[in-house]
Amino acid sequence: MVRRREFLGSMAALASQAPETRKRRPNVLLIISDDQGFGDLSIHGNLLLKTPNIDRIGREGVHFTQFHASPVCSPTRASLMTGRYNYRTGVVDTYLGRSMMYPDEVTMPELLSKAGYRTGIFGKWHLGDNYPLRPIDQGFQTALVHRGGGIGQPSDIPGGSYFDPMLLENGRVVKKQGYCTDVFFDSAMEFIDKNLESPWFAYVAPNAPHDPLQVDDRYVHPFRRPDIDERTAKVYGMVRNLDENVGRMLAKLDERQIAKDTVVLFMTDNGPQRQRYNAGMRGLKGSVYQGGIRVPLLMRWSEGLAAGRVVDRIAAHIDLLPTILNLCGAPPAANIDGKSLYPLINNSPVRINQDPWPDRSLFFQWHRGDEPVAWRNAAVRTQRWKLVNSTELYDLEADPGEANDVAGKYPQVVARMRRDYDRWFNDVCSTRGFAPPRIVLDGPENPVTLTRQDWRGPKAGWAPDSLGHWEVSVERAGKYEVVVKGGPLDADGSLSLSIGQASAILPLKKGETEWKAHLSLGNGPMEVMAKLEVSGEEFGPTFVDIRRL
């Protein structure tokens, strides 16, 4: 954690040099929805789905029309939190231990905390469920989150759903009453009420409209019509509920008379998860075509941002950390890839498209696997050009739908963009490599719950017969209680359990769901492996709880 200590250690000195243009720094409300596409807003031409409250942020502030994220969620969130391309942070994918962000990454809440902000997260973190990777380990002073990538996934706490969800509140399991999006916004508003005397950063990250598509039927009913399929109707219902919550939040800012003191941002993490209206763009979530990576960004702050401005310059997730620090008068971050967008959004009367803003290259890539492979599902984007998978070139000014490959007409552009990508890929891959960060046993989290979200190995997955292991580090040698959970089993069998050099074999009985062992562990890095064998089949557990005694 050398980089974190060196950087944060210099923050106090840098803060004294930061320009103080206001008596109090602005609050920051950053809302990021999950799997909501560019076309899932009426401000982007959707004629079936009305989102007046979200649209209001852009109409009263700044509306970016060429903003980009990664093709899937964890990489976007890693870049958003650090201002760095996700491959630098250890995050390469969304599960199987590939969405765990290294704890020495310096995050937005850490930087804002150092600048005197109260910080809170409400919803989806998706960058590590265990110490030292949790949001409360990474700069958030208040946290109400679900595990893993979403409610209902294998890492989720048993007993909840989108209604009355089981969540983690500052590391403790709690059951909340109500619909999940309502719960997250309610908690964020409580956080705001408690921090009216100091500047605050609220990161509101609902898991809607991500699958499973659960929402009260009164939101879905208006969209049940012949030209809308049932899944799209449910997505639109979830977005309608989200827009309603955004309206409640904006009303809260007005009620507390802090709207003019608050920077409000709305974005989404990637393109839509399935086909529906998406403003004519090619591709969906997971794709590096525009439909997978071009997402909304709306920003409002009456005290410092232009009202009613539309910005068509390219920008991306990596740019929000430096931009927010800039707006808050906080010291700039070091070792980042992003660029502050302040020159594009300040309340100067000069029209943005006439301002000097140098062109640049932005890079996007994602595929399954422990490590990235050069040019697999990858793209380079400049203001005009887009090179996809090393061979397809699109002139986005003339062809925003990416229908016509013009690589043969512009070989010099292809060659230049290939060189840019190769330099970028070699750079980001050499930052730290791709070994996963380790979950720490006997830290402030006790017991530690290991889930299928973070296990590794060639057979790791979410299927019933999946089998993996966890990379951990034991801080203190001692005796540990291990509880393995699964089942109920349909026959007798055996459990092979090992943590480092310690091991045990336990009998399994038909119908059982839980097995307990005590192991004496040394300290240092090691693997946790729990293998169940029943009727000749081998598979892994659902959860493993490890507690230092």
Side-chain angles (χ1 to χ4, degrees):
M1 300 188 184
V2 174
R3 195 176 76 83
R4 175 195 289 253
R5 287 197 296 268
E6 289 177 348
F7 185 74
L8 294 181
S10 67
M11 287 292 290
L14 287 172
S16 65
Q17 304 169 20
E20 187 63 52
T21 58
R22 310 174 70 249
K23 290 182 180 179
R24 174 177 146 169
R25 290 170 174 166
N27 309 309
V28 178
L29 169 62
L30 173 53
I31 303 169
I32 176 171
S33 62
D34 196 0
D35 283 2
Q36 181 179 1
F38 184 88
D40 293 329
L41 293 174
S42 48
I43 199 172
H44 291 154
N46 194 316
L47 301 179
L48 302 175
L49 173 63
K50 301 303 180 185
T51 51
N53 297 300
I54 298 172
D55 295 354
R56 177 185 163 195
I57 300 170
R59 293 198 170 107
E60 295 179 356
V62 182
H63 177 192
F64 278 80
T65 62
Q66 296 295 331
F67 185 75
H68 300 78
S70 294
V72 291
C73 44
S74 289
T76 289
R77 293 161 199 270
S79 293
L80 179 62
M81 287 291 105
T82 65
R84 287 152 58 85
Y85 282 110
N86 58 285
Y87 288 157
R88 298 192 192 280
T89 72
V91 175
V92 297
D93 195 4
T94 61
Y95 75 146
L96 303 187
R98 304 165 187 157
S99 64
M100 303 163 72
M101 187 170 73
Y102 264 87
D104 62 343
E105 288 294 321
V106 181
T107 67
M108 189 183 299
E110 286 178 310
L111 296 169
L112 290 174
S113 293
K114 278 290 183 178
Y117 279 71
R118 303 300 298 170
T119 59
I121 177 175
F122 310 92
K124 181 170 179 171
W125 171 241
H126 205 185
L127 298 173
D129 292 334
N130 300 104
Y131 177 81
L133 314 175
R134 303 169 299 172
I136 55 175
D137 307 318
Q138 293 283 69
F140 283 108
Q141 300 150 5
T142 298
L144 181 71
V145 297
H146 58 72
R147 281 192 196 142
I151 294 173
Q153 295 184 6
S155 57
D156 194 21
I157 301 165
S161 73
Y162 277 46
F163 299 92
D164 301 338
M166 299 291 292
L167 302 171
L168 291 168
E169 187 169 46
N170 299 329
R172 298 179 301 105
V173 174
V174 296
K175 186 176 182 67
K176 292 290 186 177
Q177 300 298 312
Y179 182 62
C180 57
T181 304
D182 301 338
V183 167
F184 295 135
F185 274 85
D186 285 343
S187 297
M189 287 188 276
E190 291 173 9
F191 168 81
I192 291 169
D193 281 336
K194 292 177 181 177
N195 292 286
L196 294 173
E197 301 305 313
S198 63
W200 46 261
F201 168 51
Y203 180 54
V204 185
N207 51 299
H210 195 289
D211 290 11
L213 304 178
Q214 298 177 4
V215 67
D216 192 292
D217 199 63
R218 66 189 175 92
Y219 291 103
V220 183
H221 181 73
F223 299 105
R224 288 199 172 105
R225 41 188 286 179
D227 54 341
I228 302 179
D229 65 84
E230 180 66 11
R231 290 187 299 184
T232 299
K234 289 182 177 179
V235 167
Y236 284 177
M238 295 170 83
V239 173
R240 183 173 179 177
N241 169 267
L242 172 63
D243 185 75
E244 182 180 279
N245 275 287
V246 171
R248 291 199 304 124
M249 179 65 81
L250 297 179
K252 166 66 73 173
L253 301 180
D254 291 336
E255 172 196 332
R256 291 301 187 183
Q257 298 182 353
I258 55 174
K260 66 182 178 61
D261 298 318
T262 304
V263 181
V264 180
L265 304 95
F266 177 87
M267 64 175 291
T268 71
D269 61 350
N270 45 246
Q273 70 272 56
R274 57 182 61 87
Q275 193 66 51
R276 54 184 182 266
Y277 172 77
N278 203 22
M281 292 186 293
R282 177 179 179 180
L284 301 171
K285 173 184 177 179
S287 165
V288 293
Y289 293 107
Q290 288 297 94
I293 62 173
R294 183 183 170 205
V295 299
L297 175 62
L298 310 174
M299 305 175 64
R300 188 191 78 173
W301 180 34
S302 62
E303 291 289 288
L305 302 186
R309 176 169 287 175
V310 177
V311 178
D312 72 349
R313 300 297 90 183
I314 61 169
H317 44 27
I318 55 174
D319 298 325
L320 287 190
L321 180 138
T323 302
I324 289 171
L325 295 180
N326 201 166
L327 294 174
C328 294
N335 302 316
I336 64 172
D337 298 303
K339 180 177 180 179
S340 173
L341 303 173
Y342 183 69
L344 298 176
I345 61 179
N346 69 68
N347 54 15
S348 164
V350 179
R351 287 184 58 82
I352 287 307
N353 294 345
Q354 297 171 356
D355 289 347
W357 180 259
D359 198 7
R360 58 179 175 152
S361 295
L362 296 172
F363 303 90
F364 307 94
Q365 182 168 0
W366 170 77
H367 55 81
R368 297 293 189 201
D370 291 340
E371 298 185 12
V373 176
W375 283 116
R376 181 186 292 178
N377 198 36
V380 186
R381 168 82 205 264
T382 66
Q383 189 65 36
R384 177 181 177 182
W385 301 105
K386 174 93 168 282
L387 184 66
V388 178
N389 298 332
S390 182
T391 60
E392 304 168 36
L393 182 68
Y394 300 97
D395 181 349
L396 293 183
E397 292 182 353
D399 177 27
E402 297 171 291
N404 303 304
D405 179 1
V406 294
K409 293 176 61 177
Y410 299 97
Q412 73 283 5
V413 175
V414 172
R416 184 185 74 242
M417 297 183 81
R418 282 176 178 167
R419 289 194 297 270
D420 288 348
Y421 170 87
D422 289 339
R423 281 193 295 268
W424 170 82
F425 186 79
N426 292 332
D427 181 28
V428 296
C429 289
S430 66
T431 303
R432 64 165 80 246
F434 297 99
R438 290 183 178 270
I439 295 167
V440 172
L441 305 185
D442 192 42
E445 180 188 19
N446 193 34
V448 172
T449 297
L450 305 178
T451 78
R452 291 181 169 211
Q453 169 69 19
D454 294 327
W455 65 358
R456 310 276 294 185
K459 295 182 179 179
W462 288 357
D465 61 350
S466 295
L467 179 62
H469 69 272
W470 293 269
E471 304 278 356
V472 303
S473 177
V474 180
E475 296 292 280
R476 288 192 297 166
K479 196 163 189 177
Y480 287 77
E481 178 184 81
V482 185
V483 179
V484 180
K485 300 177 181 180
L489 303 180
D490 56 10
D492 294 350
S494 65
L495 165 65
S496 301
L497 173 66
S498 64
I499 304 179
Q501 299 300 312
S503 63
I505 297 178
L506 303 177
L508 307 179
K509 297 297 182 182
K510 180 179 178 179
E512 290 182 335
T513 61
E514 188 172 298
W515 308 273
K516 185 182 298 184
H518 293 91
L519 299 177
S520 294
L521 305 181
N523 63 347
M526 54 190 71
E527 290 185 1
V528 175
M529 183 74 179
K531 181 173 66 176
L532 290 81
E533 297 184 50
V534 177
S535 302
E537 301 291 331
E538 297 180 348
F539 54 94
T542 307
F543 302 103
V544 176
D545 292 341
I546 304 176
R547 182 195 304 271
R548 189 180 193 278
L549 299 176

